Amino acid sequence: MTSLALGFLLIGLLVLLVILGMQIAYALFGVGFLGIWLIRDSLDLSLRMLELTAYSGISDYLFATIPLFVLMGLLVSVSNVGRDTFEVAEALLRRVLCGLGVATVAANTIFAAVTGVSIASAAVFTRIAVPEMERHGYRASFASGTVAGSSVLGMLIPPSLLLIIYGVLAEVSIGGMFIAGIIPGLLLAGGFVVMLMALTLIAPGFVFTDPQAARARRLEGGTDMGAREMAAKLLPIVLLVILVLGGLYSGFFTPTEAGGVGAFGALMLALARRSLDRRKLWQVMKQTGVISVSILLLLVAASYYSRMLSIAGLPNAIADLVTDSGFGPIGFILFYAGIVLLMGMILDSTSILLIMVPIAAPIASGMGIDLSHFGIITVIAVEIGLLTPPFGISVFTVHNTLNDPNTSVEAIFLATLPFIAVMLGVLLLVTWVPSIATAFL
């Protein structure tokens, strides 16, 4: 058997192991170790390669970005910033069509700029937005679907853990990936807003339990929130966003320094709001360690797996097959995005990145595709998997957090379909117009 054929079999084995429930890190290590051993017929080489990968995989100063941004996101989550952001958005947008749905999208957009994790957004806004939307006559399934659908903004609007992981795997600038995510992220948020308004006009029964009563309630409005109160609620998060992203995009901070400054700013915010006692601080530090170590272990495993693929000659072989098949850059991107969408139905976001990016990024680079543009396409396609059954981790997060027996997970999946349609539209638009992602690079 040729090394190329063995490489394809090992990829199939990796996907099978993950589907069967093996943790992705162990599957990557196991398949990488077995592949190098079989291809080079050397157990010693496989062991030495593992040793080198374990050291070089996370020795770069850049990897400190991960725990720092994770810490910042967790500190912000315990500071009730999400609730304040939603209350301001609700006050400003309550007279708009589907006002609370639009407010949820707006609050998620702002919250995403300091958390970078979709699951955190889904959990936070399930507790905040869903009860409020139900109280104003929205269907529980629609409210839950809106939270799940808009939570995906957390992985596209910078800073984002998926963008960081992609940048490491594809060996491109993490700061560049953050910049590339700005316009597509805002475009996606704008698409969600337009879709919610259109849906309210076209199918109000899908949105409200009683459309007429909801319309009357919207026109009546509610208690006004003064400008001073709005400013007091929004100022902390706005300052934190300006501090982190402003310093990063101006070149004043490196991504790692931006993470450190952001974590310190989030700590000061939590202390100022008196939302961080000794027990919560311990929980935040413990969660930061668990999440960060998990991600760093995954990156080491992915690096080892990538070296096995290179030894097997798989990226070059697939690139030759793509070239010979007549696929142009657009054709390759669409084919690749289709595979990622299918994988999103059975695997989580990080697993898809770790499996696909080491194979696809060298091919995309060889075809002249900008890797920052390719990364945004990858993240959008991967994020659609957060909403598609049977995996749909954002949907299950909302369902479990809500814990309402009257709202089935199937109903929430149905309510996320319009969000999936918008994401597919943005994915196609970004594919055909690369400047949407590369305009500021």
Side-chain angles (χ1 to χ4, degrees):
M1 183 182 294
T2 64
S3 59
L4 184 59
L6 183 59
F8 278 112
L9 285 176
L10 289 168
I11 292 175
L13 174 63
L14 174 63
V15 175
L16 178 63
L17 289 174
V18 175
I19 292 174
L20 291 175
M22 180 178 284
Q23 291 189 16
I24 181 67
Y26 300 141
L28 287 167
F29 274 126
V31 169
F33 186 88
L34 180 63
I36 296 173
W37 184 7
L38 294 177
I39 293 169
R40 291 298 176 89
D41 193 24
S42 172
L43 177 61
D44 183 59
L45 176 63
S46 195
L47 289 169
R48 282 192 288 115
M49 191 74 76
L50 179 60
E51 179 186 350
L52 289 171
T53 305
Y55 173 74
S56 63
I58 56 173
S59 61
D60 197 313
Y61 174 68
L62 183 66
F63 286 91
T65 305
I66 293 171
L68 291 171
F69 275 115
V70 169
L71 177 60
M72 181 180 75
L74 292 173
L75 286 170
V76 167
S77 294
V78 302
S79 301
N80 292 323
V81 168
R83 178 177 297 279
D84 287 351
T85 306
F86 179 78
E87 288 175 354
V88 173
E90 178 188 357
L92 291 172
L93 301 169
R94 64 174 178 268
R95 294 181 183 272
V96 175
L97 276 173
C98 196
L100 290 186
V102 175
T104 301
V105 173
N108 254 311
T109 303
I110 298 171
F111 195 67
V114 288
T115 56
V117 182
S118 294
I119 305 306
S121 298
V124 167
F125 286 102
T126 299
R127 299 188 187 96
I128 297 170
V130 173
E132 188 69 8
M133 291 178 75
E134 285 188 75
R135 189 170 68 83
H136 282 78
Y138 290 78
R139 291 189 180 276
S141 57
F142 175 80
S144 302
T146 300
V147 170
S150 58
S151 71
V152 301
L153 293 167
M155 284 302 187
L156 188 58
I157 292 178
S160 157
L161 281 182
L162 277 193
L163 292 179
I164 293 173
I165 292 172
Y166 173 85
V168 171
L169 293 174
E171 298 181 359
V172 296
S173 165
I174 291 176
M177 287 306 306
F178 285 173
I179 293 172
I182 296 174
I183 297 179
L186 295 176
L187 187 63
L188 192 59
F192 288 162
V193 168
V194 172
M195 177 271 295
L196 288 172
M197 290 181 173
L199 198 60
T200 303
L201 285 175
I202 296 169
F206 182 77
V207 178
F208 301 107
T209 54
D210 185 345
Q212 293 299 325
R215 182 176 182 275
R217 191 181 295 113
R218 175 174 65 86
L219 294 176
E220 288 173 5
T223 305
D224 287 326
M225 181 183 294
R228 181 172 296 181
E229 186 180 355
M230 288 186 188
K233 288 178 177 291
L234 280 184
L235 187 60
I237 193 169
V238 170
L239 289 177
L240 192 58
V241 171
I242 292 173
L243 179 66
V244 176
L245 300 186
L248 180 63
Y249 296 152
S250 67
F252 193 76
F253 299 145
T254 65
T256 307
E257 291 167 347
V261 170
F264 179 76
L267 176 62
M268 293 298 101
L269 174 61
L271 292 175
R273 288 177 166 235
R274 298 182 179 179
S275 58
L276 193 67
D277 55 26
R278 185 178 299 177
R279 184 183 62 82
K280 286 184 179 178
L281 178 60
W282 169 247
Q283 290 297 322
V284 165
M285 298 304 292
K286 186 169 71 171
Q287 287 182 53
T288 300
V290 169
I291 294 171
S292 301
V293 169
S294 299
I295 294 173
L296 293 173
L297 180 64
L298 286 170
L299 291 175
V300 172
S303 178
Y304 192 51
Y305 161 74
S306 180
R307 293 186 184 200
M308 182 275 292
L309 294 177
S310 298
I311 290 173
L314 207 62
N316 290 334
I318 295 177
D320 292 340
L321 288 174
V322 170
T323 303
D324 294 341
S325 68
F327 274 141
I330 296 294
F332 168 69
I333 289 174
L334 291 176
F335 177 72
Y336 166 76
I339 294 175
V340 172
L341 289 173
L342 290 174
M343 294 183 73
M345 296 181 180
I346 54 176
L347 298 175
D348 65 277
S349 303
T350 306
S351 298
I352 297 171
L353 285 183
L354 295 171
I355 293 171
M356 293 300 296
V357 172
I359 300 172
I363 300 171
S365 180
M367 299 183 75
I369 300 170
D370 185 280
L371 287 183
S372 296
H373 172 226
F374 190 69
I376 297 302
I377 291 170
T378 300
V379 170
I380 295 174
V382 164
E383 285 294 275
I384 293 175
L386 290 178
L387 304 178
T388 51
F391 195 78
I393 189 169
S394 280
V395 173
F396 282 105
T397 298
V398 170
H399 183 259
N400 292 337
T401 304
L402 188 62
N403 196 24
D404 181 2
N406 296 320
T407 305
S408 67
V409 70
E410 292 83 6
I412 302 176
F413 272 122
L414 180 63
T416 61
L417 288 179
F419 290 89
I420 294 173
V422 172
M423 294 181 75
L424 287 171
V426 172
L427 176 64
L428 292 173
L429 186 60
V430 173
T431 299
W432 261 283
V433 188
S435 59
I436 293 175
T438 60
F440 294 152
L441 296 177

